[in-house]
């Protein structure tokens, strides 16, 4: 009697999400490299574009980096003139990180290629499936936050 291979179990959703994250990050790194920034720095710039004037702790959380690594990331962006720091008028001990015009220019430069990457990622999905994926990922994120 021959053994038949057991039905392969699909990879876990956690594994699949990580695989997508890794391939997206690799492509993003390639896209933004000509501007002298990394995918993580690009992500921080996009966070500031949506919510300018964040503390380092807030930017770290929203950019998916540790509080320890955000200082180096911000310093690098600041040295390139892409962000600036200024005192929070409501809390003089806190520095807020703000996007500069040069930072906005870098984001504008990459807007098209990044949109094309996202479109490529979902090109085999219908518009409805793409929206459902967005909603499902949002719910999954909220469930773990």
């Amino acid at each position: 009697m021959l053994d038949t291979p057991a039905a392969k179990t699909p990879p876990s959703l956690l594994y699949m999400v990580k695989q997508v994250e890794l391939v997206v990050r690799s492509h993003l790194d390639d896209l933004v490299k000509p501007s002298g920034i990394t995918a993580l720095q690009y992500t921080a710039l996009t966070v500031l574009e949506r919510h300018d004037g964040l503390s380092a702790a807030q930017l770290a959380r929203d950019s998916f980096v540790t509080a320890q690594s955000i200082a180096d990331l911000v310093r690098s962006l600041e040295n390139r003139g892409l962000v600036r720091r200024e005192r929070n008028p409501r809390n003089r001990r806190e520095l807020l990180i703000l996007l500069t015009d040069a930072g906005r220019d870098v984001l504008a430069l990459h807007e098209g290629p990044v949109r094309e990457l996202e479109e490529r990622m979902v090109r085999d999905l219908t518009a409805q499936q793409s929206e459902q994926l967005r909603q499902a990922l949002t719910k999954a994120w909220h469930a773990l936050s």
Side-chain angles (χ1 to χ4, degrees):
M1 191 162 151
L2 294 173
D3 286 333
T4 57
K8 289 189 178 187
T9 49
S12 74
L13 287 175
L14 293 176
Y15 178 83
M16 293 175 72
V17 167
K18 185 62 177 179
Q19 288 298 102
V20 171
E21 188 267 333
L22 289 173
V23 74
V24 165
R25 185 168 170 180
S26 174
H27 284 290
L28 262 182
D29 270 328
D30 290 343
L31 285 175
V32 299
K33 189 175 188 176
S35 292
I37 62 172
T38 65
L40 288 176
Q41 291 170 329
Y42 175 81
T43 299
L45 293 174
T46 64
V47 168
L48 291 172
E49 183 180 42
R50 288 190 323 271
H51 308 285
D52 208 12
L54 294 177
S55 69
Q58 291 168 316
L59 182 59
R61 274 191 303 277
D62 292 353
S63 299
F64 315 112
V65 298
T66 63
Q68 294 79 12
S69 59
I70 197 68
D72 290 337
L73 188 147
V74 169
R75 190 175 310 106
S76 176
L77 292 173
E78 188 174 35
N79 289 341
R80 303 241 9 259
L82 303 177
V83 301
R84 63 185 170 80
R85 290 186 262 195
E86 65 181 46
R87 295 252 170 242
N88 182 345
R90 292 183 300 267
N91 178 357
R92 301 294 296 161
R93 294 178 299 155
E94 182 179 56
L95 288 173
L96 300 179
I97 303 157
L98 298 120
L99 193 59
T100 64
D101 288 342
R104 291 181 201 290
D105 290 345
V106 166
L107 289 173
L109 177 67
H110 297 292
E111 182 180 354
V114 169
R115 187 178 346 92
E116 289 171 12
L117 175 61
E118 184 171 322
E119 289 169 358
R120 183 173 150 206
M121 182 180 73
V122 297
R123 74 174 165 214
D124 292 336
L125 302 178
T126 65
Q128 182 180 4
Q129 289 170 326
S130 183
E131 183 54 32
Q132 288 170 335
L133 175 61
R134 181 182 308 277
Q135 290 173 8
L137 290 171
T138 300
K139 287 178 182 179
W141 176 75
H142 282 295
L144 295 175
S145 293

